[in-house]
Amino acid sequence: MAHTDSRTLRRVLRREIAGTIGLLTDEHDFRAMRRYRTFTFDDHETYLKQIEGLLRTRALQGSHTTVTLFDPEEYADFCERQTLDPDLPSSRTRFTAHLARTGPALPYEGQPLADLLAALVDEAVRQATWEYATTLLARLGPCASCGEDIGRAAFARASQLLARILDTAPPGDRHLVCSVTGPPETLIAALHTTDTGGALELDETEALEFTTVLALGLATDSPGGLVIRVSAPDTPDRVYGWRLRSNGLDPLTAGEVFDAYCTDITSGDLISPESNVDYCRPPDLGEEKPSQGHHH
């Protein structure tokens, strides 16, 4: 009887333990891990099916599981820094715990594994974009004329511009995209806000990432743009935007917005416009306060 009670208690305790799974998302990473003797899987598709089955089982048992991206190169570096044998399951477990604290991770909530993988990759891209933009802003240093920190001033200015964009937008849910072009690649950040009728709800992490990318475009005078789409019940969606300029945002005309949305970016051919969408000029953002941002 006591033995049975102990087993029952252990099952109860297992439900209280949160778990993290480091996932090999593509065939290339999977093949890289096969060089380790203790990594026993030999087929990526089978591996993914087993992962999904494990996630479902844990969910049915009431256990919470977080999924993160397992990168074999980062794993090898981690083992070297920590003087761990990479061909031990315990080393993989320690690396996965490290990823749960530092890397992109999402909870499993019963969604198909393919959807979870796509969301996880998107989250990784978002985090990498923010970290890269933050690093570039920090490297700008102080202004040679006045000594003001250029990156910090640009971030304050971008925050103020974003607030004005949201304040002047018509009622409805807003989806904003900011892109900044520069070597070695284009940085893109998105922000979605929900209109509850009394207030706007947004993800603070998304807002931070969006503001950072916008600030980088302003601070470096890089080519870029910002577009917003507002959706509300019983009305056409409204789409408008701006070019990024070192002195702020330059409104796009309705024709320029139409051309941007109705041109294939690869071929340059025209594509049919969406139905029930108005491509229009943005509202006036008002005069920028002289104290906002860096103007040298």
Side-chain angles (χ1 to χ4, degrees):
M1 182 67 177
H3 179 64
T4 302
D5 289 344
S6 295
R7 292 175 58 183
T8 301
L9 290 173
R10 280 197 295 270
R11 284 198 297 269
V12 171
L13 286 174
R14 277 198 293 270
R15 291 198 296 268
E16 303 290 328
I17 299 174
T20 303
I21 293 177
L23 191 58
L24 297 162
T25 58
D26 59 47
E27 186 74 36
H28 178 268
D29 287 346
F30 180 82
R31 286 198 303 268
M33 290 301 295
R34 289 197 61 202
R35 67 176 180 258
Y36 300 120
R37 178 185 54 82
T38 56
F39 185 78
T40 57
F41 287 96
D42 56 13
D43 178 76
H44 189 230
E45 185 175 348
T46 300
Y47 162 82
L48 292 177
K49 288 180 179 178
Q50 292 296 322
I51 288 287
E52 187 163 27
L54 175 61
L55 289 170
R56 288 174 177 171
T57 298
R58 286 181 55 82
L60 289 173
Q61 293 172 345
S63 299
H64 175 82
T65 309
T66 299
V67 181
T68 185
L69 294 177
F70 194 106
D71 185 286
E73 292 186 8
E74 290 183 10
Y75 172 61
D77 291 341
F78 175 82
C79 289
E80 184 176 354
R81 292 194 309 270
Q82 300 292 327
T83 62
L84 300 173
D85 181 355
D87 202 1
L88 289 177
S90 59
S91 298
R92 293 194 288 275
T93 301
R94 288 183 61 175
F95 179 62
T96 300
H98 167 75
L99 291 176
R101 299 191 304 270
T102 62
L106 293 175
Y108 174 71
E109 298 174 331
Q111 66 270 53
L113 186 60
D115 294 346
L116 181 60
L117 286 176
L120 197 56
V121 171
D122 287 345
E123 184 69 18
V125 171
R126 279 179 48 191
Q127 181 171 315
T129 297
W130 173 72
E131 290 175 351
Y132 182 64
T134 300
T135 299
L136 292 182
L137 278 177
R139 288 178 179 173
L140 294 176
C143 172
S145 299
C146 68
E148 184 175 17
D149 187 286
I150 297 174
R152 186 176 295 112
F155 188 88
R157 192 172 178 199
S159 299
Q160 199 251 356
L161 283 171
L162 176 59
R164 287 158 59 197
I165 290 170
L166 295 177
D167 287 344
T168 58
D173 296 344
R174 299 98 187 260
H175 184 74
L176 296 84
V177 177
C178 179
S179 62
V180 174
T181 303
E185 58 187 337
T186 298
L187 299 181
I188 299 175
L191 174 64
H192 181 76
T193 69
T194 302
D195 189 348
T196 63
L200 288 179
E201 294 182 353
L202 54 80
D203 184 288
E204 292 184 0
T205 301
E206 275 191 5
L208 175 61
E209 294 163 351
F210 188 93
T211 307
T212 302
V213 171
L214 175 57
L216 181 64
L218 296 175
T220 59
D221 199 15
S222 299
L226 192 160
V227 293
I228 178 173
R229 181 173 186 144
V230 182
S231 304
D234 304 321
T235 61
D237 285 5
R238 297 187 64 183
V239 179
Y240 53 87
W242 299 263
R243 290 186 187 85
L244 267 62
R245 291 287 185 261
S246 60
N247 62 346
L249 299 174
D250 185 18
L252 295 172
T253 66
E256 289 172 326
V257 177
F258 179 88
D259 289 343
Y261 270 80
C262 300
T263 303
D264 187 283
I265 60 174
T266 302
S267 65
D269 296 335
L270 292 177
I271 56 178
S272 300
E274 294 182 69
S275 61
N276 206 35
V277 174
D278 286 343
Y279 303 95
C280 49
R281 186 179 177 83
D284 184 9
L285 296 179
E287 292 297 323
E288 186 178 358
K289 299 177 183 179
S291 60
Q292 287 289 338
H294 184 265
H295 297 278
H296 289 294

